[in-house]
Amino acid sequence: MNEYTKKFKPELSEKWHVDEQNIKVGKDWLWSWNVLDEDTRFLVANNVTKTRYGHDVKALLDKTKEYGKPEQMVTDGLQAYRKQIKKHYGYSVKKQDYNVEHVRVRTIRDHSHNNLIERYHNEFREWDKAKRGFKREETATEWNEGFRLFHNFIKKGIDGLTPSERAKIPIILKDNRWMSLLLESLKNEKKINN
């Protein structure tokens, strides 16, 4: 299903929110990184890492390449974001500016905020509590990807649409959305293999 859904390019807004959260894996705590589009609430990319350094931010941003780039990225105050966003998206000599504006939220009182990505993290935490953590990093990564599918293609918002529908991804799913997505994925795989 992941491979099938990745072939569609969502129509995203100019503003993306990026943040990381701790997740329990065995006796350790790992980091779950996420990039969320502001208008559609589409989860653009996610990743699980052991640390939260520059190379971890780079790995996350590398997963966003196929979706283009926003005009603005909102993050918390983690220094690794600043350096990697500049490095990843580059500097425009013509504009005398960086190609993506980086907005750092330092406190709750800031004009900009990262509430959208925090809301997504709360959804994930609620689901994770029921699982009582993960046993291995591979399992955490697989479930993180599965939750991304659930968030983007299965769960409807207040407006009755999923993030993928708001992003104009042309997948039509029936009442049993999981089964429908699985069948569409299998149908597509058969076409590719034949």
Side-chain angles (χ1 to χ4, degrees), residues 14-54:
E14 306 295 328
K15 192 173 185 179
W16 295 355
H17 294 260
V18 185
D19 199 19
E20 76 287 347
Q21 71 172 337
N22 267 140
I23 57 172
K24 183 84 168 150
V25 179
K27 293 179 182 177
D28 299 320
W29 288 92
L30 299 185
W31 294 96
S32 171
W33 302 80
N34 299 289
V35 179
L36 190 81
D37 178 61
E38 182 169 289
D39 289 350
T40 64
R41 308 300 197 266
F42 190 86
L43 190 63
V44 180
N46 59 354
N47 205 20
V48 175
T49 65
K50 291 181 181 175
T51 59
R52 60 180 203 147
Y53 297 120

Side-chain angles (χ1 to χ4, degrees), residues 2-3 6 21-26 29-34 43 45-51 56 59-60 63 120 124 127-128 131 133-150:
N2 273 321
E3 292 309 309
K6 284 178 184 173
Q21 71 172 337
N22 267 140
I23 57 172
K24 183 84 168 150
V25 179
W29 288 92
L30 299 185
W31 294 96
S32 171
W33 302 80
N34 299 289
L43 190 63
N46 59 354
N47 205 20
V48 175
T49 65
K50 291 181 181 175
T51 59
D56 301 310
L60 178 69
K63 289 184 167 191
Y120 173 79
F124 186 85
W127 174 79
D128 182 36
K131 294 202 58 46
F134 304 100
K135 301 280 186 249
R136 299 175 325 191
E137 185 177 349
E138 295 79 22
T139 309
T141 299
E142 288 168 3
W143 279 97
N144 212 23
E145 281 294 310
F147 196 78
R148 184 184 65 77
L149 279 175
F150 170 75

Side-chain angles (χ1 to χ4, degrees), residues 15 103-115:
K15 192 173 185 179
V103 177
R104 292 175 66 208
V105 178
R106 291 184 177 97
T107 68
I108 293 173
R109 293 186 180 96
D110 278 0
H111 175 68
S112 290
H113 55 77
N114 226 359
N115 295 350

Side-chain angles (χ1 to χ4, degrees), residues 46-162:
N46 59 354
N47 205 20
V48 175
T49 65
K50 291 181 181 175
T51 59
R52 60 180 203 147
Y53 297 120
H55 60 90
D56 301 310
V57 176
K58 180 188 181 313
L60 178 69
L61 294 179
D62 284 346
K63 289 184 167 191
T64 68
K65 276 185 180 176
E66 63 194 80
Y67 299 103
K69 69 180 178 69
E71 287 184 12
Q72 191 177 80
M73 288 189 112
V74 180
T75 71
D76 60 21
L78 182 68
Q79 285 294 323
Y81 286 124
R82 194 174 127 261
K83 185 176 180 182
Q84 289 302 320
I85 288 171
K86 286 179 182 179
K87 198 184 266 190
H88 189 80
Y89 292 109
Y91 184 80
S92 171
V93 175
K94 194 174 188 178
K95 292 182 184 176
Q96 291 294 303
D97 198 6
Y98 290 98
N99 290 326
V100 171
E101 179 188 2
H102 179 208
V103 177
R104 292 175 66 208
V105 178
R106 291 184 177 97
T107 68
I108 293 173
R109 293 186 180 96
D110 278 0
H111 175 68
S112 290
H113 55 77
N114 226 359
N115 295 350
L116 293 176
I117 195 83
E118 293 298 342
R119 171 87 174 107
Y120 173 79
H121 286 169
N122 287 338
E123 284 176 31
F124 186 85
R125 278 188 192 105
E126 284 176 32
W127 174 79
D128 182 36
K129 268 186 206 172
K131 294 202 58 46
R132 297 183 182 160
F134 304 100
K135 301 280 186 249
R136 299 175 325 191
E137 185 177 349
E138 295 79 22
T139 309
T141 299
E142 288 168 3
W143 279 97
N144 212 23
E145 281 294 310
F147 196 78
R148 184 184 65 77
L149 279 175
F150 170 75
H151 173 81
N152 284 341
F153 295 92
I154 307 300
K155 185 177 183 264
K156 293 185 178 190
I158 295 171
D159 60 359
L161 300 174
T162 64

